[in-house]
Structure formats: structure tokens, C-alpha cells
Amino acid sequence: MNRFQQEVDAAVDALLLQQVILYPTDTVWGLGCDAEAPPAVQQLYKLKGREAGKPSIVLVADFDMLKRYAAEVPAELEAMLAADTRPTTYILPAGRAVAKELVAPDGTVGLRVVKDEFCFKVVRRLGHGLVSTSANKAGEPTPAVYTEVDAAIVRGADHVVNWRQDDASRTTPSRLVRLGADGKLEVVRE
């Protein structure tokens, strides 16, 4: 078995035990857990020092998985997902499958279909959405690369993914698109 697959398997094993992982996302280094496991989400928020009511996004493998976590999906979203050329988070009304801790006060959840190979394989094998929040204490700078992750976060994670720890490339945050009151998708952050 190759190193990449070993890292995927180890991350999924930790997630299945409802543990918090430190991992490279399609944008920055993140903390994650199973999006359907409230105790794991609570543990992640405690590690991050994140206040209750401040949601995190959920990474999904495909459009079908996205529909599992959204109560309402606009007709044009599937075509938009196919045309996305960069990571894009869609803010949609939350469905019942997502842990309530991930739902914003307005009843929405941020969902992103991942194209990054590592994240995709983890989410696909897990079979659930993967929480994704930056790997920093609340209010501290977001770590774009592993060497910027605070040592307390590294020690506090149940599992640290070794994949791409030496990767120094940086990406921009995801684009944000929200479902408006008129039922149309609108760009919130380019």
C-alpha cells in the first residue's frame, strides 16, 4: 500500500472513532471531524476555542452528498458545481443530517464539494461530510501551510495527517456563494 492511501486510511479510521483530525484541505490546513457526530464537533470547537453558534463548513464528495446536508438545493447548483474552477463554498439551508453545531443562527450550513484528491478520498471513504475549519485558535491567523499550525493545535488533535506537511504552496480562501431570499445564488466573497 502506498503512503497516500495509508494517510487516507489513517484519517478515516480516526474519523470513524469520532476523533478530530488535523489535515490539509483544498485551501488551508484545517481541523476536521465527522459532520454527523455532535460529540466530535464539540471536541473540535473546544480545541479551537470557537464559540457555540459560529458554524464551520462541511466538505462533501459530490452533488448527491451535498443534497444530504442541504434542506434546499437550487436547480442551477449542479451546473455551477461542474463549472467551478476553484474551491467554492455554498451557503444553503441546513438539512437534518448535519450536526446542529454546524448550523448558523440563520439555519444555513456552508457546503463545499472538494476536488482536492486527498480530501475527496477521505470524504468518499468516510461516507459522511467532513467538517472543515482552519487549524488555528479562534481569532488567530489561519495557517496556509503546516509549519504555520500552532503547536498546541498539533498536540490537541487526535490524529495529524502527514500528507503534504512539506508543501509550501499557498491558495486563496474559497469563494462564498449564498442562496438568497429570492431563491437565487449570489456571490458573497469572490
Side-chain angles (χ1 to χ4, degrees), residues 12-85:
V12 173
D13 289 347
L15 293 165
L16 290 170
L17 293 171
Q18 296 191 7
Q19 294 181 339
V20 174
I21 66 169
L22 172 62
Y23 69 106
T25 74
D26 50 349
T27 55
V28 298
W29 272 78
L31 290 169
C33 63
D34 183 335
E36 295 184 29
V41 176
Q42 292 163 7
Q43 180 184 342
L44 183 150
Y45 277 23
K46 184 177 178 183
L47 172 59
K48 187 172 173 71
R50 186 173 213 144
E51 61 190 67
K54 189 166 183 188
S56 296
I57 69 165
V58 178
L59 303 181
V60 296
D62 53 32
F63 183 64
D64 286 336
M65 189 179 281
L66 180 142
K67 291 189 301 186
R68 177 175 170 174
Y69 297 108
E72 182 181 344
V73 178
E76 71 271 21
L77 183 57
E78 189 168 18
M80 289 180 73
L81 289 169
D84 279 342
T85 57

Side-chain angles (χ1 to χ4, degrees), residues 125-180:
R125 181 160 172 253
L126 178 64
H128 289 178
L130 174 62
V131 173
S132 180
T133 184
S134 57
N136 57 292
K137 292 284 188 183
E140 296 294 318
T142 298
V145 296
Y146 179 76
T147 57
E148 294 174 354
V149 178
D150 185 282
I153 295 288
V154 175
R155 285 190 307 273
D158 296 307
H159 175 75
V160 178
V161 172
N162 291 309
W163 189 251
R164 289 192 2 225
Q165 284 188 5
D166 57 352
D167 184 353
S169 58
R170 296 173 181 270
T171 60
T172 57
S174 70
R175 184 170 64 138
L176 290 177
V177 177
R178 173 183 283 282
L179 181 62

